Amino acid sequence: MPVYSHSRLETFENCPLKYKFRYIDGIKKAEQGVEAFLGALVHEVLRKLYDDLQLEKLNTLDELLELFAANWKKAWGPHVRIVRAGMTEQNYFDSGKKCIRNFYESNKPFRQSQTLGTEVHLAFPLDGEGKYQLQGYVDRIARRDDGTIEIHDYKTSRTLPPQQKTDADRQLALYQIGVERQWPESR
């Protein structure tokens, strides 16, 4: 039985042949775009921040930036591709540090909600028979003091999408279904 995800559906919608190569034939790309590389490293740092907070350890901003720099140095290589003209590795590295710094400064002291999990795997059927399965990984799920459950999906893009686009986002809607199945009290 196939298991679908937002990214699989999006790949098929954009290019059915790419879907075939990637998910049916199992062909992996040798290169990674710098934007995906940057996003993955920022996600790692934010995950550490919230995982450590669950153990009552608040990392300093400097500690998180040092982790980001060390992970960047270890993972950077010729497989990372920059396509934007005039941009360099240093530009993207500085952008990642800025993302972490802005997030940290905007959210400290990190008491707005209780983390229920980071990189939470949600898997659920879309139909009553379980014929169509969907899965996804949520960056962070948290509960506010009033019981509201939040879905955190970190983005490192240069612009914030308009509310209308966020309201129509399939990925977030699917995450909401998964959260409601795992935490029925969230409805």
Side-chain angles (χ1 to χ4, degrees):
M1 163 184 23
V3 178
Y4 300 98
S5 68
H6 167 72
S7 59
R8 284 181 180 225
L9 295 173
E10 187 174 58
T11 300
F12 183 81
E13 289 169 346
N14 291 331
C15 181
L17 187 58
K18 181 177 179 181
Y19 177 90
K20 178 187 180 304
F21 289 156
R22 186 168 186 189
Y23 296 110
I24 296 173
D25 299 340
I27 299 171
K28 307 254 188 228
K29 292 191 314 186
E31 292 183 333
Q32 180 181 25
V34 69
E35 291 84 1
F37 176 83
L38 167 66
L41 293 180
V42 170
H43 278 68
E44 284 178 26
V45 169
L46 297 180
R47 181 178 188 177
K48 175 157 180 57
L49 169 66
Y50 282 105
D51 285 351
D52 285 357
L53 281 168
Q54 288 183 292
L55 300 171
E56 304 301 323
K57 180 188 186 313
L58 173 59
N59 291 292
T60 66
L61 176 57
D62 286 340
E63 289 171 325
L64 296 175
L65 292 173
E66 286 173 19
L67 173 65
F68 175 75
N71 289 351
W72 184 283
K73 184 177 180 181
K74 182 170 52 175
W76 182 265
H79 68 285
V80 182
R81 191 180 79 235
I82 298 174
V83 296
R84 291 190 71 202
M87 298 298 285
T88 67
E89 175 188 352
Q90 188 66 48
N91 296 132
Y92 286 98
F93 177 75
D94 291 344
S95 175
K97 288 182 5 184
K98 182 179 178 184
C99 287
I100 294 165
R101 186 177 292 107
N102 288 347
F103 185 92
Y104 194 93
E105 295 299 333
S106 296
N107 291 283
K108 70 179 181 185
F110 308 101
R111 293 191 193 115
Q112 300 89 332
S113 56
Q114 172 198 4
T115 299
L116 300 176
T118 59
E119 289 299 315
V120 177
H121 179 243
L122 298 174
F124 54 92
L126 288 174
D127 62 327
E129 298 82 42
K131 185 176 174 183
Y132 302 101
Q133 295 286 320
L134 195 99
Q135 72 173 354
Y137 290 86
V138 180
D139 296 332
R140 179 173 173 252
I141 298 178
R143 185 187 333 266
R144 287 194 167 270
D145 288 342
D146 68 1
T148 302
I149 292 188
E150 301 172 329
I151 298 168
H152 293 245
D153 187 37
Y154 307 133
K155 299 296 182 199
T156 54
S157 63
R158 292 174 290 145
T159 59
L160 188 64
Q163 187 63 48
Q164 183 179 13
K165 185 174 181 183
T166 302
D167 291 344
D169 187 289
R170 175 179 54 210
Q171 183 177 24
L172 291 176
L174 292 172
Y175 286 168
Q176 181 178 351
I177 293 169
V179 166
E180 288 175 351
R181 300 257 173 102
Q182 192 156 335
W183 290 277
E185 71 278 9
S186 67
R187 295 180 196 181

